[in-house]
Amino acid sequence: MSTDTSLFRSAWRAQRAPVAILLLFLLPLLLVPHPVVAAPQERPGADQIYVHIVRPGETLASIAASYGISVQELRASNNLVNRAELVSCTPNADSTQARGTVRLNGHPANGFRVAFSWHPDETVVARTMSGDGGQYNHILGGGAREGNWWFWIENSAGIRISEMAYVHTDKYPHEGKCQRAVIDFDIQNPELTYVGRRLHIPLSPQPVVAKPLPSKPPGTKIVYGHIVRSGETLASIAEVYGASVQELRASNNLINRAELLRCDSNASSTRALGTVRLNGQPVNGYRVAFSWQPDGEVVARKISAEGGHYTHILRASGPREGNWWFWVENKDGHRISEMAYVHTHKDPHSGNCQQAVIDFDIQDPGLNYIGRKLKIPATG
């Protein structure tokens, strides 16, 4: 039995034209690419904020180097708006000097005190006031003079309110050398102070591109002594002076090393483990300490045992995010080794860090780091 479809065909023919017109209208809309909205970045909770108290002598560069972040990240996270900038340094046979302009919110400002010293945040050698057009001038010595200098702005109470600018001047006024430094300051908050300030340290730091080190001719003269303060690492000290960690080690016979060999993902726990060696041989009885801060309050200590091995459990029940420093200390609690730094992640994904392997090589058990006077290689 055949079915009569003539009525259906007639109805379809009547509706076909409007449907075709509707499809022609919708097709361009379907083909237009729609913007993809990125998922918001996860922000660390309040319990994940890391705080650093600025000590005398610390610069933003040295603090940033300690935590493996950039100066820009440190500034942005803490609204540090009083800047110091070394604009240029040129040869000059007549005198060694620093000059420049102090600005308040971008405009030249008079009456600001510019101080300088041979040490960061230490005894001020001289002060000068910004005068006409916000300009100042420091005469460091008649003729060319070699030295390391730090410059900053201080308030009427003698408290530093700006970043520090560092410059190394040369004793020979040859082309490419430094005797006449131009250092500008931009003050946006005259009430801001630096020493004692609580800085928020961003977690999950991004890799910092190492700055190229200045070339040094063979037999470079040692010109400066730096006293190691609590919380300073070799990396942070090297950053301040434009040197390398290798140069600091070689110039000062710093032979008690700490080395982060690797850090693997691990869902079961967050830990640090490794071996302590004395002159290359595994050794028992050495105290490995760790803290949330460089040279900070010791959270726990472990004694190297069979085969010089030690293990620190940072969290026994899964991954934990945090910043950690590890070192070897003597029986009096003094640090005798370099510090190893590691940042652990809260997610045990491939490439993340929960199980750190840190080895120590001790060659001089009598060596102390804090209070030690380091010789700093000159930069030219």
Side-chain angles (χ1 to χ4, degrees):
M1 177 178 176
S2 62
T3 304
D4 187 359
T5 60
S6 59
L7 292 177
F8 173 78
R9 290 185 181 131
S10 299
W12 165 244
R13 289 192 189 99
Q15 297 178 14
R16 185 166 53 187
V19 170
I21 293 171
L22 181 61
L23 288 174
L24 287 173
F25 176 75
L26 291 175
L27 186 60
L29 296 177
L30 294 173
L31 294 176
V32 173
H34 294 277
V36 177
V37 180
Q41 247 185 347
E42 183 183 356
R43 298 178 64 86
D47 59 335
Q48 294 177 305
I49 292 176
Y50 193 78
V51 174
H52 177 93
I53 308 298
V54 181
R55 302 173 177 89
E58 290 184 320
T59 66
L60 295 190
S62 69
I63 296 169
S66 294
Y67 293 93
I69 60 177
S70 68
V71 170
Q72 290 73 21
E73 287 177 303
L74 204 54
R75 284 171 173 163
S77 298
N78 296 277
N79 196 30
L80 300 175
V81 290
N82 295 349
R83 307 289 172 80
E85 181 184 6
L86 175 61
V87 178
S88 64
C89 199
T90 55
N92 177 37
D94 296 331
S95 65
T96 303
Q97 58 185 268
R99 55 190 174 88
T101 304
V102 181
R103 294 179 174 86
L104 179 62
N105 294 316
H107 301 287
N110 303 344
F112 276 84
R113 298 203 303 184
V114 182
F116 85 87
S117 177
W118 299 306
H119 301 256
D121 272 331
E122 290 198 8
T123 304
V124 173
V125 176
R127 296 177 177 89
T128 188
M129 302 291 287
S130 62
D132 292 340
Q135 295 182 341
Y136 72 92
N137 188 53
H138 270 316
I139 302 297
L140 305 175
R145 180 179 181 184
E146 188 164 28
N148 294 274
W149 317 91
W150 279 263
F151 300 84
W152 62 86
I153 302 290
E154 63 179 18
N155 61 19
S156 58
I159 298 172
R160 177 163 65 90
I161 65 169
S162 78
E163 298 176 0
M164 285 186 283
Y166 163 72
V167 63
H168 172 80
T169 56
D170 301 275
K171 62 181 178 180
Y172 300 113
H174 299 161
E175 183 178 356
K177 299 294 184 180
C178 170
Q179 284 89 31
R180 181 181 286 171
V182 178
I183 300 169
D184 285 356
F185 295 92
D186 184 15
I187 305 300
Q188 296 186 38
N189 179 8
E191 303 302 318
L192 186 150
T193 58
Y194 276 72
V195 177
R197 189 173 189 81
R198 295 169 63 87
L199 299 184
H200 290 177
I201 307 298
L203 289 178
S204 301
Q206 299 299 315
V208 180
V209 178
K211 296 188 299 184
L213 294 172
S215 59
K216 297 179 176 60
T220 296
K221 183 182 177 183
I222 304 299
V223 298
Y224 190 73
H226 177 92
I227 306 300
V228 180
R229 299 173 176 85
S230 176
E232 290 183 320
T233 65
L234 293 189
S236 68
I237 297 169
E239 177 76 14
V240 169
Y241 292 93
S244 70
V245 170
Q246 291 73 21
E247 287 172 312
L248 282 184
R249 286 171 172 167
S251 298
N252 296 277
N253 196 32
L254 300 175
I255 50 180
N256 294 350
R257 307 290 170 78
E259 183 180 5
L260 174 62
L261 299 180
R262 68 180 188 274
C263 197
D264 307 316
S265 57
N266 177 35
S268 301
S269 64
T270 303
R271 64 181 63 201
L273 53 96
T275 304
V276 180
R277 293 179 174 86
L278 179 62
N279 295 314
Q281 301 299 318
V283 61
N284 301 344
Y286 273 75
R287 300 203 301 183
V288 181
F290 84 86
S291 177
W292 298 304
Q293 292 179 296
D295 278 325
E297 180 182 356
V298 174
V299 177
R301 295 177 175 88
K302 295 293 180 180
I303 306 297
S304 63
E306 299 174 1
H309 297 312
Y310 73 92
T311 299
H312 272 315
I313 303 295
L314 304 174
R315 185 176 184 180
S317 58
R320 177 181 183 183
E321 186 162 29
N323 294 277
W324 317 96
W325 280 261
F326 301 84
W327 63 87
V328 174
E329 63 179 18
N330 62 19
K331 62 182 181 180
D332 296 323
H334 297 143
R335 176 163 65 87
I336 65 170
S337 78
E338 297 174 359
M339 285 187 281
Y341 164 72
V342 64
H343 174 79
T344 57
H345 300 82
K346 62 181 178 181
D347 299 313
H349 300 157
S350 177
N352 281 356
C353 168
Q354 284 90 31
Q355 184 160 296
V357 179
I358 301 168
D359 281 1
F360 296 92
D361 185 13
I362 306 300
Q363 297 186 40
D364 179 7
L367 185 151
N368 284 334
Y369 271 73
I370 298 174
R372 190 174 187 82
K373 187 172 183 178
L374 300 184
K375 297 175 181 178
I376 308 297
T379 57

